[in-house]
Amino acid sequence: MKDQSRREFLRNFILGATTLAAQPILASCSVKPMAETQLPAETVAITEISPTESTTEFATEAQNQYPYLVVARGTDAEQLVRQGMLAMGGMERFMKAGADVIIKPNICIGYYSYEYAATTNPWVVAALVKMCLEAGAKRVRVMDYPFGGTGEQCYKNSGIADLVTAAGGEMEVMSELKFVEQKIPNAVRLKRASIYQDVLTTDLLINVPIAKSHSMAKLTLGLKNLMGTMLNRESIHPSFEQNLVDLATVVRPQLTIIDAIRTLMANGPTGGDLNDVKLQNTLIFSHDVVAADSYATRLFEKTPEYLPYVLKAAERGLGKADLTGLTIQEINVDA
Amino acid sequence: MPDHKNLKKVSNGWVIARKLTQVLSLVLFILAVLFSRQNGLPSNLVDFTVRLSPLAMASHLLSSKTFLAGSALSLILLISSLFFGRAWCGWLCPLGTILDLFKFSKHKNRRQPSETLRKIKYGLLILVLLSALFGNLTLLFFDPLTIFVRSTTLTILPAMDRIIFAVEKLLIKIPFMSKPVFAFDSWLRPDILPSTAPSIQYAFLVGFFFASLILLNLIAERFWCRYLCPLGALLGIPSRLAFFQRRTKALCSECGICSNNCPTDTIDSHNKYQSDPSECTLCMNCLESCQKNSLSFTPKWQPSASRPYDLNRRHFLTSVGISIFSVAVLSFDWIKNKAKSFLLRPPGVDDESQFLSTCIRCGICLKVCPTQALQPDFSESGLEGAWTPILVPRNGFCDFGCNSCGENCPVQAIPSLTIDNKRQAKIGQAYIDQDRCLAWSDHINCIVCEEMCPIPQKAITLEYGKHTLTDGSQVEIMLPVVNRESCIGCGTCENKCPVQGDAAIRVYTI
């Protein structure tokens, strides 16, 4: 065979590269292949991640100084957040000035406004944005990965986009690019998942779920809200409880605030009927997502045993499901 | 022949003005398509892209027998052709501009195709209009504006989107590149491109057609515009009378330079370098290259002479015959109604045959659909329904909070419904395949279809069943059941079903 001249080499190289680059075009010619909804193949770069230690640090140090749980009741959403956080030790307890903050509400659909209690109360989210900025946050981003509609649409219809932007926060539509395949160390079942990388690297992750009914989880609260940080959540429904706890070992919010101002008592998580909505005017604060979930079952007249995944999470050492002996401060904001 | 190397270029600004107008117009058309989306541009600013076409609007009028106020926009083109001939083609048409970008001048074929080929476009025009009269709009596939919208929407933008995504995905692996790439990505999505690149079925067919139009330029410049374009033919007829048309003066030295520079090759060297106003696109190349200043576009009412390639009675009758035959064949049941299980039309479309004779196949609904549930059809509704929109739930579900397709349809083939009415509009009916369902068949709790069902009281409910495992222990299984009355066939369940391949719950035609 004749040696290749440089020109030939370059030509062949460019040809080859173009052919490779053209594959996405071919891919776009067909309907989305089902392979995409499975967990990505091994070829994706896999990064080891270690769970943040901060939660446990807070747990030990916090027990003396601050209540383990704060339950605030009242009608003014912003005051609920402010008074509740004050009791928790202020936003400064959770962040330093210049911190990069991500707030993760539940904005799962774009079908209804906040009244239908399928999405987190916008005033609660906006109040958190303000408090983070007041505490000197460099940037406060609010995001969720909805299953019912595009991010833009859901952000807008939930009413969250308007209030957050006005409060000085940023609404970030979660880009597929930032979902990175992660190995989950010590996982029982969910050995890897595509998780939004900023959620893992941010200085402060605030988990702001809305309390509502759900056929499989029974109730969707703080732990379940973490599912909005991963791709392909449909695929984890079989053996749901184990998968959810595995996910919670790596996605670890430093602060969880359960929005139970309006709770969706039936036909969740999507809702759509105001008769299913119950006004409870309550917010639950804790650094421990498991404890917050555990307490929230009371609003549905249940005990933590009603939610097997909460017990499983406690068994794995992610937090406390048994609230006996913990300091719970209840405050009434209207009084 | 004069020495081509020493030609003086008479720059009078007309060619520059034309090129600038072309680019500006193309950019406007692309922006209109790019930003047509849910909560995007107002529908009027999107719909003009196809409402400008008198071919599409006349066909719609003939076929649906209803007059749309918005279609009056297309009269602008028809009336302007009485003054400026086919200036639309040379100055504004986005497809024409794209064809101008691909001149392949190196491969310029000295021998031009036969003049009689110019007949084809008139034949096609008769075919399109007559078929429309019989209620068939399949051939609007050939309208240049629908070609432009369809090709950008279904092939060019999605391909570009995917290439950008693939490159980004590669670049973020380089450590120092990841930050700027993420910054670029968050600037790009979702403001300019959608957050997830759309997947389009049969995109390659649209792309293939578009590429062949460009490749035809290898045979002759603007091959499509000269010989095939039915809109060009429609505008060409009033252009005979054009007020402003190219006229040669007596001092022409017959040097032949103008005829070499003519993109539609209509300057006839055998006939004193005169041209046919129904072929001339007023590109002004000849004006700029004329060494003697011997031609002008001065205003004058003087219809042009007839041409040897004008359609005669025989050709006209042949076209009529072909259109009757093809409309009849296309409506044969064995092609049209073969596989109807999944013929799911956009929300609010009730009457299939009325839909087929109203939809102009422009593809705007496919662009605005935020989940890309709407896909161009090529199999479910037969040849007659080629490129009409159907719902493919496995690809995307009909968003419960969205009514964009109806709001943006330029011809109201998809009715414009309020959100509340759209939520009542039944698209199809979901059925569970109990042999494949994880809960029914494999005794695994799944409930995704029930969870995601957007109906307020859930059109999918769960029955509780007991299943005995091999070790004798019992597990409680939640079994999904569809409620026929409240299911609207939005396809959310089919879309989200975690079963591999075809979903275990599917939406069927009602």
Side-chain angles (χ1 to χ4, degrees):
Chain A
M1 203 180 128
K2 218 176 70 180
D3 287 344
Q4 280 191 341
S5 71
R6 183 167 54 190
R7 175 180 294 202
E8 276 169 344
F9 170 75
L10 283 174
R11 195 179 56 199
N12 292 340
F13 179 77
I14 289 167
L15 258 173
T18 326
T19 322
L20 278 176
Q23 287 184 9
I25 312 183
L26 292 175
S28 72
C29 292
S30 60
V31 174
K32 186 162 76 181
M34 277 315 296
E36 280 183 27
T37 64
Q38 302 166 37
L39 292 179
E42 301 234 8
T43 46
V44 183
I46 300 196
T47 32
E48 269 296 337
I49 40 162
S50 52
T52 37
E53 294 302 319
S54 47
T55 315
T56 34
E57 274 168 40
F58 283 127
T60 44
E61 152 213 351
Q63 268 165 354
N64 316 319
Q65 276 179 289
Y66 307 107
Y68 201 88
L69 268 166
V70 170
V71 181
R73 295 194 177 85
T75 44
D76 183 337
E78 179 161 351
Q79 278 313 307
L80 276 178
V81 176
R82 289 197 177 273
Q83 302 291 328
M85 280 311 292
L86 196 67
M88 284 293 287
M91 196 56 88
E92 289 77 5
R93 178 185 154 196
F94 297 92
M95 55 168 280
K96 296 191 181 80
D100 194 10
V101 181
I102 290 181
I103 298 176
K104 162 68 178 75
N106 186 330
I107 322 178
C108 64
I109 52 164
Y111 310 150
Y112 310 108
S113 63
Y114 77 96
E115 282 104 333
Y116 289 83
T119 51
T120 303
N121 188 303
W123 285 273
V124 170
V125 182
L128 285 169
V129 172
K130 286 184 204 164
M131 290 187 73
C132 291
L133 291 173
E134 284 159 14
K138 181 183 70 188
R139 169 169 74 154
V140 184
R141 285 177 290 169
V142 177
M143 60 184 81
D144 191 12
Y145 200 60
F147 63 77
T150 60
E152 314 87 280
Q153 171 84 344
C154 296
Y155 291 178
K156 179 172 163 255
N157 287 359
S158 64
I160 291 177
D162 279 351
L163 291 186
V164 164
T165 317
E170 295 171 24
M171 295 302 302
E172 180 163 312
V173 173
M174 290 167 93
S175 159
E176 236 176 89
L177 200 61
K178 283 191 184 171
F179 285 96
V180 184
E181 169 96 334
Q182 312 274 4
K183 236 182 199 164
I184 300 184
N186 311 321
V188 175
R189 195 172 185 281
L190 189 69
K191 306 269 186 211
R192 33 187 80 156
S194 290
I195 301 173
Y196 201 70
Q197 61 173 33
D198 289 7
V199 164
L200 299 170
T201 55
T202 188
D203 297 328
L204 171 61
L205 174 64
I206 306 180
N207 183 20
V208 200
I210 180 164
K212 50 181 176 170
S213 82
H214 187 275
S215 57
M216 181 173 264
K218 306 273 199 296
L219 296 175
T220 142
L221 302 163
L223 283 164
K224 175 83 174 63
N225 193 40
L226 303 178
M227 277 173 72
T229 62
M230 67 173 286
L231 273 186
N232 314 317
R233 70 185 95 183
E234 293 84 21
S235 65
I236 78 163
H237 279 71
S239 298
F240 162 77
E241 286 149 10
Q242 204 57 263
N243 285 327
L244 182 56
V245 175
D246 284 340
L247 178 69
T249 60
V250 285
V251 182
R252 308 207 61 179
Q254 289 94 325
L255 176 61
T256 295
I257 298 159
I258 296 180
D259 164 22
I261 293 177
R262 309 170 72 87
T263 54
L264 182 60
M265 307 304 283
N267 295 312
T270 49
D273 189 339
L274 288 175
N275 293 321
D276 294 333
V277 178
K278 184 178 169 191
L279 205 62
Q280 307 229 40
N281 287 327
T282 307
L283 290 185
I284 301 161
F285 301 73
S286 182
H287 61 274
D288 176 352
V289 59
V290 183
D293 279 9
S294 177
Y295 185 92
T297 55
R298 296 185 189 177
L299 299 174
F300 294 81
E301 287 157 12
K302 305 283 182 200
T303 55
E305 288 68 37
Y306 183 59
L307 303 179
Y309 65 87
V310 169
L311 299 184
K312 276 210 168 75
E315 276 168 34
R316 292 273 282 276
L318 296 176
K320 296 186 176 175
D322 182 7
L323 304 180
T324 44
L326 300 181
T327 48
I328 300 176
Q329 185 179 343
E330 309 213 6
I331 48 179
N332 195 330
V333 172
D334 288 343
Chain B
M1 286 289 281
D3 184 359
H4 282 257
K5 276 175 191 157
N6 299 322
L7 284 180
K8 78 179 161 101
K9 212 158 197 183
V10 190
S11 187
N12 48 26
W14 278 108
V15 172
I16 295 170
R18 189 255 303 164
K19 285 184 175 166
L20 280 176
T21 316
Q22 276 188 294
V23 170
L24 195 71
S25 166
L26 179 63
V27 168
L28 280 177
F29 270 91
I30 290 176
L31 288 179
V33 174
L34 187 62
F35 291 103
S36 63
R37 58 178 71 161
Q38 186 188 32
N39 302 324
L41 285 177
S43 59
N44 282 336
L45 291 184
V46 176
D47 292 346
F48 87 90
T49 50
V50 288
R51 280 184 178 162
L52 268 176
S53 162
L55 179 69
M57 290 303 117
S59 308
H60 172 266
L61 181 64
L62 289 172
S63 169
S64 69
K65 323 281 192 274
T66 46
F67 177 75
L68 281 170
S71 68
L73 201 61
S74 66
L75 288 177
I76 298 176
L77 254 66
L78 272 184
I79 293 168
S80 80
S81 66
L82 280 173
F83 288 86
F84 305 106
R86 284 178 67 183
W88 156 262
C89 308
W91 288 61
L92 295 167
C93 175
L95 186 61
T97 305
I98 293 174
L99 292 175
D100 270 353
L101 293 174
F102 294 90
K103 271 187 185 149
F104 301 119
S105 46
K106 266 190 199 165
H107 307 279
K108 191 159 185 173
N109 197 339
R110 288 279 158 208
R111 259 193 61 196
Q112 299 288 336
S114 157
E115 289 287 284
T116 50
L117 287 182
R118 294 190 199 268
K119 277 178 185 173
I120 299 175
K121 62 176 179 292
Y122 293 104
L124 207 52
L125 172 67
I126 295 167
L127 218 63
V128 172
L129 292 178
L130 260 175
S131 311
L133 194 62
F134 294 122
N136 179 302
L137 290 179
T138 311
L139 289 172
L140 275 187
F141 183 52
F142 287 108
D143 179 278
L145 286 174
T146 69
I147 290 175
F148 171 78
V149 173
R150 196 183 319 111
S151 307
T152 36
T153 297
L154 301 184
T155 309
I156 300 170
L157 287 176
M160 204 180 75
D161 196 335
R162 270 159 189 265
I163 291 170
I164 292 174
F165 186 76
V167 172
E168 284 178 329
K169 194 109 195 172
L170 263 178
L171 288 181
I172 54 168
K173 288 180 183 163
I174 307 169
F176 63 91
M177 284 300 286
S178 62
K179 244 194 166 159
V181 170
F182 283 131
F184 171 75
D185 187 67
S186 60
W187 169 79
L188 190 69
R189 300 166 205 277
D191 291 343
I192 295 163
L193 293 178
S195 41
T196 313
S199 320
I200 309 285
Q201 62 182 12
Y202 308 118
F204 68 98
L205 283 179
V206 180
F208 181 75
F209 182 74
F210 190 68
S212 23
L213 293 190
I214 290 176
L215 288 179
L216 282 173
N217 267 11
L218 282 170
I219 303 172
E221 208 179 327
R222 279 195 179 235
F223 187 98
W224 160 260
C225 314
R226 290 186 201 180
Y227 307 119
L228 303 175
C229 179
L231 176 59
L234 181 60
L235 294 177
I237 295 166
S239 299
R240 292 281 158 92
L241 311 169
F243 195 40
F244 294 88
Q245 52 177 272
R246 182 179 172 277
R247 293 182 174 93
T248 46
K249 294 178 195 163
L251 44 93
C252 170
S253 66
E254 307 206 352
C255 67
I257 295 166
C258 55
S259 110
N260 276 335
N261 279 320
C262 177
T264 56
D265 194 39
T266 176
I267 303 177
D268 188 355
S269 53
H270 304 298
N271 187 14
K272 295 179 183 163
Y273 291 89
Q274 288 179 349
S275 57
D276 180 358
S278 52
E279 296 292 324
C280 170
T281 65
L282 277 82
C283 72
M284 304 292 169
N285 280 355
C286 50
L287 197 64
E288 195 167 272
S289 61
C290 182
Q291 307 294 300
K292 299 266 178 186
N293 247 340
S294 66
L295 60 94
S296 68
F297 288 83
T298 41
K300 191 174 172 188
W301 286 120
Q302 188 191 44
S304 90
S306 63
R307 305 283 153 177
Y309 48 80
D310 291 345
L311 280 196
N312 56 28
R313 190 165 55 187
R314 198 162 117 206
H315 292 121
F316 179 78
L317 289 176
T318 314
S319 306
V320 174
I322 293 176
S323 59
I324 292 175
F325 179 75
S326 52
V327 170
V329 167
L330 282 174
S331 57
F332 270 173
D333 257 9
W334 55 270
I335 298 179
K336 191 184 166 196
N337 290 339
K338 204 177 156 203
K340 273 183 111 174
S341 297
F342 304 112
L343 181 53
L344 305 171
R345 289 300 182 188
V349 175
D350 294 324
D351 184 336
E352 174 69 10
S353 70
Q354 191 199 337
F355 179 68
L356 284 178
S357 52
T358 318
C359 168
I360 58 167
R361 279 77 166 161
C362 66
I364 287 177
C365 55
L366 308 174
K367 177 66 177 61
V368 297
C369 179
T371 57
Q372 209 57 65
L374 290 185
Q375 293 280 335
D377 181 35
F378 211 69
S379 56
E380 291 303 316
S381 54
L383 280 177
E384 189 184 357
W387 313 116
T388 54
I390 58 167
L391 193 84
V392 181
R394 204 51 167 156
N395 196 71
F397 56 95
C398 184
D399 184 332
F400 201 59
C402 170
N403 58 357
S404 295
C405 53
E407 283 204 321
N408 285 282
C409 178
V411 290
Q412 288 161 29
I414 306 173
S416 179
L417 304 174
T418 62
I419 290 282
D420 282 338
N421 287 337
K422 199 226 88 163
R423 286 176 177 171
Q424 314 285 325
K426 198 163 171 100
I427 300 166
Q429 171 73 52
Y431 289 94
I432 293 176
D433 182 349
Q434 295 190 352
D435 284 344
R436 300 188 72 235
C437 173
L438 290 175
W440 283 100
S441 180
D442 299 329
H443 318 293
I444 295 171
N445 275 321
C446 167
I447 66 95
V448 172
C449 52
E450 183 266 356
E451 174 189 18
M452 307 274 179
C453 177
I455 306 294
Q457 294 297 333
K458 299 281 180 195
I460 299 172
T461 48
L462 298 171
E463 283 177 2
Y464 290 82
K466 289 242 185 305
H467 175 68
T468 315
L469 298 172
T470 40
D471 62 0
S473 62
Q474 280 204 324
V475 285
E476 192 172 63
I477 301 290
M478 291 179 271
L479 303 163
V481 178
V482 180
N483 179 335
R484 285 195 160 224
E485 273 69 53
S486 55
C487 174
I488 57 164
C490 68
T492 310
C493 48
E494 178 175 344
N495 182 258
K496 307 285 185 183
C497 176
V499 168
Q500 289 299 303
D502 286 343
I505 182 166
R506 294 199 75 175
V507 181
Y508 287 78
T509 317
I510 30 169

